[in-house]
Amino acid sequence: MDIFLQAAIEEAKLGLREGGIPIGSVLVHDNKIIGRGHNRRVQMGSSILHGEMDALENAGRQSAAVYKNSTLYTTLSPCPMCSGTILLYDIPKVIIAENVNFTGEEDLLKSRGVILEVLQNTTCIEMMAHFIRDKPELWNEDIGV
């Protein structure tokens, strides 16, 4: 398995252990993780700390050139908020572990030239399915339902 995908999965598992939603993400530039994070909405009482947003926040302030030459790995298809951030910072490629449990704004990202690779990773599919089944109220809150 790709080491960057594995890092995103580790982040998702960390979020689950903390009592949050199991979605993880890493931002990779020059073959190195510069930001990693997981959904921390529950843990931090946040309205915006999805996995992708947390990874970008933890990458710190970067130049436009860094974002334009980075790849974002995420364990679940990006929601509208995270997709908007991907577009804002012109991140050219997103590796999505799975979109079985939730398909975010993939069509929008593709229409704007973002390269998407959807892996349908079994670990991520099962982890998210179990979470949605066990904690539907947290899942619905996370996606604005």
Side-chain angles (χ1 to χ4, degrees), residues 6-134:
Q6 186 60 46
I9 293 171
E10 289 169 13
E11 286 291 326
K13 289 178 179 179
L14 177 58
L16 187 60
R17 285 194 306 272
E18 293 172 349
I21 299 164
I23 303 168
S25 185
V26 295
L27 183 65
V28 177
H29 180 261
D30 285 341
N31 215 32
K32 179 183 168 205
I33 295 173
I34 62 170
R36 57 189 309 142
H38 53 277
N39 188 304
R40 295 190 308 143
R41 289 186 69 249
V42 173
Q43 302 92 308
M44 302 298 290
S46 171
S47 61
I48 63 167
L49 280 181
H50 282 191
E52 299 91 335
M53 303 295 278
D54 193 41
L56 288 163
E57 178 69 15
N58 290 328
R61 185 175 167 194
Q62 299 293 329
S63 70
V66 168
Y67 295 119
K68 288 179 182 184
N69 290 291
S70 293
T71 299
L72 184 70
Y73 286 73
T74 182
T75 59
L76 189 65
S77 183
C79 76
M81 175 179 64
C82 297
S83 295
T85 303
I86 290 163
L87 294 174
L88 176 68
Y89 289 112
D90 208 11
I91 296 169
K93 186 172 184 181
V94 180
I95 308 295
I96 300 168
E98 71 109 338
N99 65 2
V100 171
N101 289 292
F102 176 79
T103 302
E105 295 297 322
E106 293 178 24
D107 290 339
L108 171 64
L109 291 169
K110 286 189 257 186
S111 78
R112 298 281 294 275
V114 177
I115 298 166
L116 302 181
E117 188 176 333
V118 182
L119 306 175
Q120 303 306 15
N121 177 275
T122 306
T123 299
C124 293
I125 292 168
E126 291 173 1
M127 181 169 42
M128 205 63 226
H130 290 144
F131 180 82
I132 291 168
R133 183 194 67 226
D134 296 343

